[in-house]
Amino acid sequence: MDTAERLDLVTRHTTEVVTEDELRTLFEESDPSAYIGYAPTGEMHIGHFTTMRKLADFLRAGVDVTVLIADLHAHLDDNKSPFDLLDARSAYYETAIEGMIEAAGADPEDVEFVRGTDFQLDEEYTLEMYRMAAETTISRTQRAASEVVRESESPNLGGLIYPLMQTLDVKALDADIAYGGVDQRGIYMLSREILPDHGGESPICLFAPLLSGLSGGKMSASDEASKVNLTDSPDEVDEKIGQAYCPAGEVEENGVLEYLEHLVFPVLDVRDESFVVERPEEYGGDLTYESYDEVESDFVSGELHPADLKPSAAGAISDVIDPVRERLADEEDLLAEAYPEKYGAE
């Protein structure tokens, strides 16, 4: 695989690359390493899957991949995960992510998993964090974390430490590439700015898009109707997609189309399968699509109606998440231990 092919694999389905020239040079000079970090807070959902699916592209492009289960970060962000649940939630996140990587057509054994507590309490890391804290202003840190850490008029100190630790994680994990959702952009721009002063190098940054919610607007982790959970049954997926915001001919903030573009079609491509919309003969019969662009074109033109798209999209989405759903069903104690208020014994 030449540089152009590797570059295409790694950058496709991303919102921004900072910078593509740096990434091209990196591929020409070496086999790079990449990392993504997830703080084990709430349950993982399809928005996480669209981001994690990209790790399969990294692996195919010969990139070494590390997944950081950022357990300390989960507690620092306004105590979203109580300290006594960090181990259980970390175990659940690792299992769910392994399932997503496998469902995307890659081998989770090729990915290294680490937890923040494996290295973030080391003396060298801690001393560097204090140095960084002494040299970084509160306003700069708040601005960097504004899209990630829960904000309030009187924020906890943990939310200010959070982006500094995430910056040091790049160095500690020896990552050439920092990958995450586009909401992480502020933190990684801070990393590029200050990490060279703390013994590291400015990372190349790749940002994944954030999906729209099924009810329109931004996806909300607290709104069950706005997203598909990895444990949703086929009937639940069908119901959520059936009720989703999907106006005829409109692409903006259309979560159904975004699920197809960023998750379903990339997985179907790996499986060498097509997307089929079943339609009565009186309305033109079935439609077969080999690419997302074909779907969007027909949807915008009116050839493909939401009433026909939604059931087929729901079936395809359910099929894509099925391996993850089955993996979690086989280890149901993980959810009960990680989220006892929802799944624990009554």
Side-chain angles (χ1 to χ4, degrees):
M1 189 177 295
D2 61 25
T3 295
E5 291 172 316
R6 299 173 79 188
L7 197 64
D8 179 66
L9 263 179
V10 168
T11 59
R12 66 181 183 175
H13 299 291
T14 59
T15 298
E16 185 181 9
V17 181
V18 183
T19 68
E20 190 165 319
D21 286 342
E22 293 175 12
L23 183 59
R24 181 180 294 104
T25 299
L26 188 64
F27 277 131
E28 290 172 348
E29 294 178 348
S30 65
D31 289 327
S33 60
Y35 108 100
I36 182 172
Y38 265 118
T41 52
E43 284 184 67
M44 303 199 87
H45 51 73
I46 199 166
H48 297 105
F49 198 170
T50 56
T51 303
M52 297 308 300
R53 183 214 61 74
K54 187 103 197 75
L55 299 187
D57 287 341
F58 284 133
L59 292 171
R60 292 187 194 100
V63 177
D64 292 330
V65 176
T66 297
V67 173
L68 168 62
I69 308 297
D71 46 1
L72 289 182
H73 282 82
H75 189 63
L76 286 172
D77 185 4
D78 201 29
N79 194 21
K80 286 181 181 177
S81 281
F83 211 78
D84 60 349
L85 292 179
L86 291 183
D87 281 346
R89 292 189 178 179
S90 295
Y92 155 72
Y93 263 56
E94 184 167 340
T95 297
I97 291 170
E98 287 175 342
M100 288 184 261
I101 292 170
E102 187 171 48
D107 186 351
E109 293 292 325
D110 292 335
V111 173
E112 180 180 4
F113 285 85
V114 297
R115 294 191 186 185
T117 45
D118 291 340
F119 64 90
Q120 289 169 347
L121 301 176
D122 293 349
E123 181 178 349
E124 180 182 354
Y125 184 100
T126 304
L127 287 174
E128 201 62 52
M129 184 181 69
Y130 285 141
R131 282 191 59 219
M132 193 173 284
E135 298 171 11
T136 311
T137 65
I138 291 175
S139 61
R140 181 68 182 91
T141 307
Q142 284 182 312
R143 188 167 70 252
S146 61
E147 296 295 321
V148 177
V149 176
R150 185 178 291 164
E151 292 187 294
S152 68
E153 291 185 2
S154 181
N156 290 336
L157 183 59
L160 300 177
I161 297 173
Y162 189 112
L164 301 183
M165 290 177 61
Q166 189 165 333
T167 290
L168 282 174
D169 292 342
V170 177
K171 173 187 173 185
L173 297 173
D174 197 24
D176 301 304
I177 300 167
Y179 171 60
V182 71
D183 57 333
Q184 306 285 328
R185 190 183 192 282
I187 293 179
Y188 286 132
M189 291 304 100
L190 176 67
S191 304
R192 284 178 61 87
E193 177 185 329
I194 67 176
L195 198 53
D197 292 331
H198 293 272
E201 296 183 7
S202 297
I204 294 164
C205 304
L206 271 75
F207 300 111
L210 301 182
L211 300 188
S212 300
L214 291 177
S215 48
K218 186 178 179 180
M219 183 185 295
S220 170
S222 60
D223 181 4
E224 287 296 313
S226 78
K227 65 186 187 305
V228 170
N229 293 317
L230 300 178
T231 54
D232 282 347
S233 68
D235 287 344
E236 288 173 321
V237 175
D238 190 63
E239 180 179 358
K240 287 182 177 181
I241 298 300
Q243 296 176 354
Y245 175 82
C246 187
E250 293 188 21
V251 176
E252 293 298 317
E253 297 188 350
N254 189 325
V256 177
L257 290 178
E258 290 178 16
Y259 284 13
L260 290 174
E261 179 180 11
H262 297 297
L263 180 62
V264 171
F265 270 96
V267 172
L268 290 180
D269 181 58
V270 172
R271 297 178 180 176
D272 197 24
E273 296 176 0
S274 305
F275 175 59
V276 178
V277 174
E278 296 182 354
R279 202 168 59 168
E281 288 296 334
E282 60 186 293
Y283 296 114
D286 294 352
L287 296 168
T288 300
Y289 296 100
E290 303 299 332
S291 71
Y292 167 76
D293 288 343
E294 295 173 355
V295 174
E296 183 178 304
S297 177
D298 275 3
F299 187 78
V300 171
S301 72
E303 172 64 22
L304 177 58
H305 192 273
D308 297 316
L309 172 66
K310 284 183 173 184
S312 297
I317 292 165
S318 185
D319 184 56
V320 166
I321 70 170
D322 189 58
V324 190
R325 180 168 49 209
E326 288 185 358
R327 181 182 286 246
L328 293 174
D330 289 341
E331 300 190 48
E332 58 184 18
D333 288 346
L334 277 177
L335 279 168
E337 293 172 3
Y339 306 97
E341 291 185 1
K342 181 175 180 180
Y343 294 102
E346 297 181 359

